């Protein structure tokens, strides 16, 4: 861990905080309305903890094995650990007692396994339902047209609390186009909120990453997941 890396993280953190505040204000909200979650894939625990010391309060891992390797080193007295990657059903039991939110639930099968493992430890697991807003075959997530049916099914499962929705949009350089995708996702979020489904609360709309988080906030995101803009390119971290 180099001094330059830590200095870069400090500088990047300040810039991201400023950008979030500006985007929030422009969307008619305040900085406090937006959750800044750091995507910490490949980032060492000491660097993550340095970011936490700056004020970062939410971290998210993509891979179960990496989360387990770093778990004892995280400063979890001062930050919430979440799982943001694709989760296999056979890995649920390994993280169910370690994370505050699972953002990537995209099937009834996975929801049932989370419920089963949560029941074993007497916990209600908080989850987001992942939506494949771009209809990409390469990405996980439920199709928008199947979302409502899945939510009604999940709402009947014990030991699970749906807190909102998450999406990873298609890679797109066109800012206007990405805004339209985020706008579509926000409309889905609002529509689901209006239905007031039992055991389903639309508190969180997790969308937007390093390249497009200000656009996501402008279109209604309540949480952004930022990795490289905070920690640098992945190759730089090794």
């Amino acid at each position: 861990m180099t001094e330059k890396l830590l200095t870069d993280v400090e500088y990047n953190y300040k810039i991201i905080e400023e950008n979030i505040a500006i985007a929030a204000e422009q969307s008619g909200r305040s900085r406090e309305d937006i959750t800044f979650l750091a995507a910490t894939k490949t980032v060492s625990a000491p660097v993550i903890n340095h970011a936490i010391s700056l004020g970062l309060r939410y971290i998210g891992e993509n891979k179960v094995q990496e989360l387990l390797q770093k778990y004892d080193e995280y400063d979890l007295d001062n930050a919430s650990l979440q799982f943001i990657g694709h989760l296999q059903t056979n890995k649920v039991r390994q993280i169910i007692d370690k994370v505050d939110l699972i953002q990537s639930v995209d099937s009834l099968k996975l929801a049932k396994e989370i419920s089963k493992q949560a029941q074993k430890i007497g916990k209600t697991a908080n989850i987001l339902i992942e939506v494949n807003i771009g209809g990409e075959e390469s990405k996980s997530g439920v199709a928008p047209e199947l979302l409502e049916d899945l939510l009604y099914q999940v709402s009947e499962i014990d030991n699970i609390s749906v807190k909102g929705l998450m999406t990873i949009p298609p890679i797109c350089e066109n800012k206007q186009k990405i805004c339209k995708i985020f706008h579509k996702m926000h409309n889905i979020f609002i529509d689901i909120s209006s239905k007031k489904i039992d055991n389903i609360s639309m508190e969180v709309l997790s969308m937007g990453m390093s390249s497009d988080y200000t656009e996501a906030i402008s279109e209604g995101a309540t949480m952004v997941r930022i990795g490289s803009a905070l920690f640098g390119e992945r190759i730089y971290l090794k």
Side-chain angles (χ1 to χ4, degrees):
M1 183 171 64
T2 66
E3 192 66 32
K4 182 182 184 305
L5 175 55
L6 297 185
T7 302
D8 287 348
V9 169
E10 290 171 16
Y11 175 80
N12 293 339
Y13 181 82
K14 181 180 178 183
I15 295 298
I16 292 167
E17 279 289 332
E18 290 173 354
N19 289 341
I20 290 175
I22 292 168
E25 184 178 353
Q26 290 175 343
S27 70
R29 293 177 291 168
S30 68
R31 168 63 190 89
E32 290 68 33
D33 295 324
I34 312 299
T35 299
F36 167 14
L37 177 143
T40 52
K41 181 174 69 174
T42 80
V43 184
S44 68
V47 176
I48 296 168
N49 290 340
H50 184 66
I52 292 171
S53 76
L54 301 174
L56 181 71
R57 290 295 172 261
Y58 298 87
I59 59 176
E61 289 288 356
N62 288 72
K63 296 184 181 298
V64 170
Q65 184 177 1
E66 186 174 349
L67 183 154
L68 296 175
Q69 288 172 344
K70 294 190 281 190
Y71 183 74
D72 289 336
E73 296 181 72
Y74 298 125
D75 177 13
L76 295 182
D77 288 336
N78 294 298
S80 167
L81 175 62
Q82 305 186 6
F83 191 79
I84 61 176
H86 177 66
L87 181 59
Q88 297 174 307
T89 53
N90 64 348
K91 298 288 182 68
V92 172
R93 62 180 176 79
Q94 296 177 269
I95 65 164
I96 192 66
D97 62 335
K98 295 177 173 62
V99 297
D100 298 319
L101 180 69
I102 298 173
Q103 292 204 22
S104 45
V105 179
D106 61 355
S107 69
L108 184 61
K109 179 183 177 183
L110 178 56
K112 285 182 174 179
E113 182 61 24
I114 292 170
S115 169
K116 175 183 174 182
Q117 298 302 330
Q119 278 185 308
K120 287 182 180 179
I121 62 171
K123 173 181 179 177
T124 295
N126 296 321
I127 68 170
L128 303 182
I129 299 296
E130 182 176 359
V131 180
N132 188 342
I133 194 65
E136 298 172 277
E137 290 185 10
S138 61
K139 286 182 179 169
S140 54
V142 61
E145 61 271 20
L146 301 177
L147 172 62
E148 190 174 335
D149 284 345
L150 177 59
L151 284 168
Y152 274 107
Q153 291 174 313
V154 173
S155 72
E156 297 177 356
I157 300 175
D158 294 331
N159 295 82
I160 276 188
S161 179
V162 178
K163 297 297 184 183
L165 306 177
M166 177 265 230
T167 196
I168 302 174
I171 295 172
C172 178
E173 298 294 331
N174 186 310
K175 296 294 186 183
Q176 190 173 12
K177 187 174 180 180
I178 197 69
C179 281
K180 286 183 178 179
I181 294 171
F182 287 142
H183 184 72
K184 177 182 177 183
M185 187 67 207
H186 184 248
N187 283 343
I188 292 171
F189 178 76
I190 295 299
D191 181 55
I192 295 297
S193 299
S194 69
K195 296 183 186 300
K196 301 188 185 306
I197 305 170
D198 287 346
N199 301 322
I200 305 289
S201 65
M202 289 290 112
E203 300 171 19
V204 180
L205 177 55
S206 176
M207 64 181 187
M209 297 185 285
S210 289
S211 64
D212 53 23
Y213 66 91
T214 58
E215 288 80 12
I217 293 169
S218 72
E219 296 299 337
T222 69
M223 176 186 285
V224 289
R225 309 179 304 275
I226 301 173
S228 58
L230 176 61
F231 298 115
E233 295 302 324
R234 299 305 183 191
I235 191 171
Y236 176 66
L237 301 169
K238 292 180 180 179

